[in-house]
Amino acid sequence: MSAAAPRRIRLTPWAGLAALAAVPFIDALLPGGLRLEDPMSEVFIYAILALGLNVLTGFTGLLNLGVAAFAAIGAYAFAIATCEIYPFQLGFWPALGVTVAAGAIAGFALGAPTLRVRGDYLAIVTLGFGEIVKDVLVNLDTITKGTQGINPLPPPSFLGTPLEARGQYWLLLAFVTVTFVGVRALERSRVGRAWISIREDELASRAMGIRPDHAKMLAFATCAALAALAGALMVSRLSSSGEPGNYDFQVSILALCIIIVGGIGSVRGTLVGAIVMVGMNSIVLVKLSELVGSPDAPGAALDEAQGLAKVGVFLRTWAQNVLVNPTNWKFLLFGLALVLMMVFRPQGILPPRPLHEAPPEGGEEGA
Amino acid sequence: MQRAVAAAEQLAILALARADGLPAFAADGALSSWEVFGQQLVTGLSNGMIIALIAIGYTMVYGIVELINFAHGDLCMLGAFFALTAVGALGMSEWGGAGGAVGLVSLLVATAFFCGALNWSINRLAYRPLRKASKLSLLVSAIGASFILVNLGLFWGGMPMDVFAGGNSSAAPKAFPALVEPEPAAHLGDVIVSRPDVLVLLVTVPLMGALTWLVRFTKLGKAMRAVAQNPTAAALMGIDVERVIGATFFIGGSLGGFATVVYSIYNQTVSFQMGYRMGMDAFIAAVLGGIGNLPGAVLGGLLIGVVRAMSDQYIETRWTNAVVFGILILILVFRPSGLLGAKLREKV
């Protein structure tokens, strides 16, 4: 046995963490339009959601198109547990506990009956689940207040003190960091390796003594619990559950885009994906539309123009109607991200490292 | 004459109910519960035939490449926008009589060709490079294609034309002109069969017949069945597999094109988000009947159409989507092969 190589301390993660932690200070120096605190908070929340999805879809290979439903369940569980119009009125931290438990139970509830559903059929079942949860939340308006949403909700707090914006940012950063480290640890744990082996070959892993049903249920519950946590953090930050329509298919697809662009099954990749995709969605597109402003109302010139000029006016009016607003390009961007990644780089930006690296060249195996 | 006026009134109420989802006859004491049931049955069967035609597009593609073509519903949405543009540019809502009929047929064929060509291109760009990749990559690519089409629909809705309300709010639903007036065409007792109902029948039944003939008795149909059964063996027999797959996408897409024109005339409104709902209904129909199975898709379409109409009437409109998705989940969990499908084993 050769001596263990000295443990290298990798600097990149610590530098990244330090840079993210410094964002509020940097923001203080920047003009209002360029501040990153709010959009980065959104990145963190989506990162937690996507880390959860990565457990189910990335590690275990079960495509979930309804992860937004788990976020919705978390959001409403948190809202009902805390809001003053309900009898519970828990504080922030106990409510988070309730939320995570509710999420895990929802994950079991969806996971148990769908264990026998495979492949793309499972994707469709999860999609249907997402739609049903959304409809139920809208329609049970005596409990959920329908499209009004539940508010006000307590902001995140720490040691009994409600946090202001900067504190909330650090708290979210802490949540992402803990989730990241936790999911990394899970990946290397016994159950994590079981998930990955099920993804690679369910029959073979069963033959090696893994119980796929147990492992899949755990993956469902973990995914749902993390998604519920993300939902609760989101509504706590906004102080309202928002309307159920906020947790629709688009959110599920954004989470899916994040793990695919980042590198499916890769924990580091998920963070990169969250920064790229949510950054694109909530920072670049939003800032661009602020820059463009609202276009001038197209006049009646179209009726007056003649001949070729009419074509020009037609195209210009068309462009003013939709094309100039960058947020109108959102779906195209998501769609292109998915198709292009699948066709040209299916492994994503930061593909997962193999769990067992090949022994180094000339290594003395078993010496 | 009076009867016709009364019937027209009932139809107007029905159309209203379709538009804003109120229970149609709640306030109308004149109709017995059986007539309400019969009227909803007609509506359900008509919508079901349209769903069935779209479902065939799903089932054909699934049968041959085992892909849930997520973009299929949005393809139909773009078809509706194409049709609306043609109607607006040519002023077709003013055409009457024989000219109107010829115009309608041309519109159907042109939209079918548009959707077929678009589906063929999507296959070429987004699916064909992934033939050797995993099923999930293919599905993800299809979801991506679907989002791209939705966005194109949003762009299209901003076109400064009168039919798009000047394009000022591109995301708003657009009214589709009633090329076939919703007037009664026949009475079965007190149940009215409207002219759009007849149009649905006239378009869908011959197409389904033609498709059955194509799949059963032509060389292309035989090649399609061979590729569906075993692509490698089919290739070894000299079949150009990619060409057959391309043809399948074209045919499935063009059926969707026919369906979307009829759908738009029947429901009189189109929006860039309609593809999701249309696609989901049709996909559920295909799964219900047994995916990959053509008669199954038709049966499933009719069932979904009727279930929707009955749920609108007897449960509540706002629960209809949940009911339909609930059915989907129950089928997938308890009988994934569908009503008419054969049992498949994933791995031996």
Side-chain angles (χ1 to χ4, degrees):
Chain A
M1 218 40 202
S2 56
R7 196 184 152 82
R8 276 179 302 152
I9 297 171
R10 281 203 302 267
L11 283 176
T12 335
W14 291 106
L17 189 59
L20 286 174
V23 162
F25 298 118
I26 301 168
D27 265 0
L29 308 173
L30 290 173
L34 290 174
R35 287 196 186 144
L36 285 175
E37 203 173 282
D38 269 358
M40 278 313 284
S41 303
E42 203 168 328
V43 169
F44 294 156
I45 288 168
Y46 270 101
I48 296 174
L49 182 66
L51 282 167
L53 183 64
N54 196 30
V55 168
L56 188 58
T57 303
F59 295 166
T60 323
L62 304 173
L63 183 53
N64 179 0
L65 296 179
V67 74
F70 294 135
I73 288 169
Y76 276 86
F78 182 85
I80 289 172
T82 54
C83 187
E84 61 201 22
I85 57 176
Y86 297 101
F88 312 107
Q89 297 178 14
L90 301 180
F92 176 75
W93 290 95
L96 272 194
V98 171
T99 301
V100 171
I105 291 168
F108 277 122
L110 178 64
T114 53
L115 285 175
R116 44 187 283 174
V117 183
R118 275 152 212 284
D120 36 14
Y121 277 12
L122 179 72
I124 300 299
V125 168
T126 54
L127 189 158
F129 175 75
E131 292 291 308
I132 290 177
V133 166
K134 196 181 68 181
D135 279 358
V136 167
L137 287 176
V138 175
N139 292 341
L140 284 184
D141 42 12
T142 44
I143 302 172
T144 62
K145 305 292 162 218
T147 48
Q148 292 174 4
I150 302 169
N151 53 56
L153 304 181
S157 64
F158 192 65
L159 300 175
T161 6
L163 296 170
E164 32 46 278
R166 193 178 280 188
Q168 289 185 22
Y169 175 88
W170 282 322
L171 186 69
L172 283 176
L173 181 59
F175 268 112
V176 178
T177 314
V178 171
T179 313
F180 176 80
V181 173
V183 172
R184 279 289 282 259
L186 266 181
E187 184 187 14
R188 286 155 192 195
S189 71
R190 187 184 169 87
V191 63
R193 284 173 285 139
W195 286 336
I196 290 166
S197 73
I198 288 172
R199 178 188 71 200
E200 295 301 327
D201 192 328
E202 184 170 338
L203 203 64
S205 55
R206 192 191 292 270
M208 300 315 281
I210 289 168
R211 285 195 284 187
D213 287 2
H214 284 216
K216 283 183 184 176
M217 291 285 280
L218 265 179
F220 258 108
T222 313
C223 166
L226 287 178
L229 175 67
L233 292 174
M234 173 126 53
V235 295
S236 167
R237 198 172 147 256
L238 301 175
S239 181
S240 162
S241 71
E243 60 159 329
N246 291 352
Y247 309 91
D248 65 356
F249 188 52
Q250 268 186 54
V251 173
S252 303
I253 291 299
L254 181 53
L256 185 67
C257 282
I258 288 172
I259 63 171
I260 284 171
V261 167
I264 193 153
S266 156
V267 187
R268 298 170 305 148
T270 304
L271 290 191
V272 175
I275 293 173
V276 172
M277 290 308 295
V278 183
M280 194 74 84
N281 189 26
S282 322
I283 305 179
V284 178
L285 287 183
V286 173
K287 297 293 176 213
L288 270 181
S289 14
E290 277 168 14
L291 273 182
V292 173
S294 58
D296 308 329
L302 188 55
D303 296 326
E304 296 152 19
Q306 293 296 324
L308 267 183
K310 189 160 184 160
V311 177
V313 176
F314 181 86
L315 292 178
R316 203 172 323 129
T317 320
W318 191 357
Q320 274 173 348
N321 281 343
V322 268
L323 303 182
V324 292
N325 187 349
T327 47
N328 281 345
W329 293 72
K330 186 167 83 177
F331 297 117
L332 195 71
L333 228 81
F334 286 7
L336 279 178
L338 290 179
V339 175
L340 293 179
M341 285 314 274
M342 282 299 118
V343 173
F344 294 108
R345 198 177 159 85
Q347 72 274 34
I349 298 175
L350 274 185
R353 292 204 190 102
L355 271 186
H356 302 285
E357 313 256 1
E361 204 66 23
E364 294 164 83
E365 201 62 9
Chain B
M1 188 60 218
Q2 237 176 3
R3 199 183 146 82
V5 171
E9 265 173 16
Q10 283 167 14
L11 256 172
I13 296 169
L14 239 187
L16 210 73
R18 245 178 237 152
D20 60 20
L22 290 170
F25 299 99
D28 192 342
L31 285 166
S32 78
S33 56
W34 278 109
E35 284 151 6
V36 172
F37 178 82
Q39 197 65 64
Q40 289 291 356
L41 194 64
V42 170
T43 310
L45 289 175
S46 283
N47 271 320
M49 286 302 269
I50 300 172
I51 294 172
L53 209 52
I54 304 173
I56 290 174
Y58 273 103
T59 231
M60 284 176 79
V61 164
Y62 193 90
I64 212 153
V65 284
E66 289 186 34
L67 159 71
I68 297 168
N69 185 6
F70 219 88
H72 195 64
D74 302 302
L75 178 87
C76 295
M77 175 273 295
L78 281 187
F81 276 66
F82 174 85
L84 185 55
T85 311
V87 169
L90 303 174
M92 278 177 71
S93 43
E94 306 300 318
W95 300 4
V102 172
L104 184 56
V105 172
S106 324
L107 183 69
L108 281 163
V109 173
T111 309
F113 184 81
F114 170 80
C115 286
L118 190 57
N119 211 23
W120 184 89
S121 321
I122 294 169
N123 169 50
R124 197 61 199 262
L125 295 173
Y127 307 152
R128 191 170 157 177
L130 297 171
R131 216 62 94 199
K132 299 229 160 29
S134 75
K135 294 274 146 52
L136 290 187
S137 319
L138 203 55
L139 181 62
V140 169
S141 187
I143 294 170
S146 148
F147 270 70
I148 295 173
L149 296 188
V150 168
N151 211 143
L152 294 181
L154 180 63
F155 287 165
W156 202 329
M159 202 184 234
M161 286 176 67
D162 289 338
V163 282
F164 294 113
N168 287 325
S169 59
S170 60
K174 323 286 178 200
F176 197 95
L179 295 180
V180 175
E181 289 295 333
E183 283 162 9
H187 295 270
L188 308 170
D190 278 330
V191 174
I192 301 154
V193 178
S194 71
R195 294 178 61 191
D197 287 323
V198 176
L199 173 77
V200 171
L201 212 62
L202 284 181
V203 173
T204 53
V205 173
L207 281 174
M208 288 170 187
L211 183 74
T212 313
W213 170 78
L214 182 123
V215 172
R216 286 219 185 136
F217 301 115
T218 64
K219 207 171 169 185
L220 176 63
K222 198 183 245 179
M224 282 161 67
R225 281 179 289 143
V227 174
Q229 219 169 59
N230 188 336
T232 320
L236 290 173
M237 298 298 125
I239 295 172
D240 184 346
V241 173
E242 281 304 332
R243 221 188 110 244
V244 173
I245 293 177
T248 307
F249 270 90
F250 185 89
I251 294 169
S254 56
L255 290 177
F258 282 111
T260 195
V261 175
V262 181
Y263 177 94
S264 309
I265 292 174
Y266 198 77
N267 292 295
Q268 294 182 19
T269 170
V270 300
S271 102
F272 80 106
Q273 287 162 320
M274 72 196 251
Y276 182 63
R277 186 90 297 137
M278 282 170 93
M280 274 303 131
D281 280 353
F283 173 73
I284 295 168
V287 172
L288 180 58
I291 198 153
N293 181 312
L294 291 181
V298 178
L299 176 68
L302 290 175
L303 282 175
I304 290 297
V306 171
V307 164
R308 272 197 165 273
M310 294 304 160
S311 164
D312 281 353
Q313 175 70 34
Y314 296 106
I315 305 177
E316 253 183 285
T317 315
R318 57 184 193 158
W319 288 105
T320 296
N321 280 330
V323 168
V324 172
F325 275 108
I327 291 176
L328 172 76
I329 293 182
L330 290 180
I331 300 166
L332 284 179
V333 172
F334 292 108
R335 198 180 155 80
S337 50
L339 297 176
L340 302 184
K343 276 224 180 328
L344 288 176
R345 288 181 81 177
E346 184 142 306
K347 197 167 187 178
V348 184

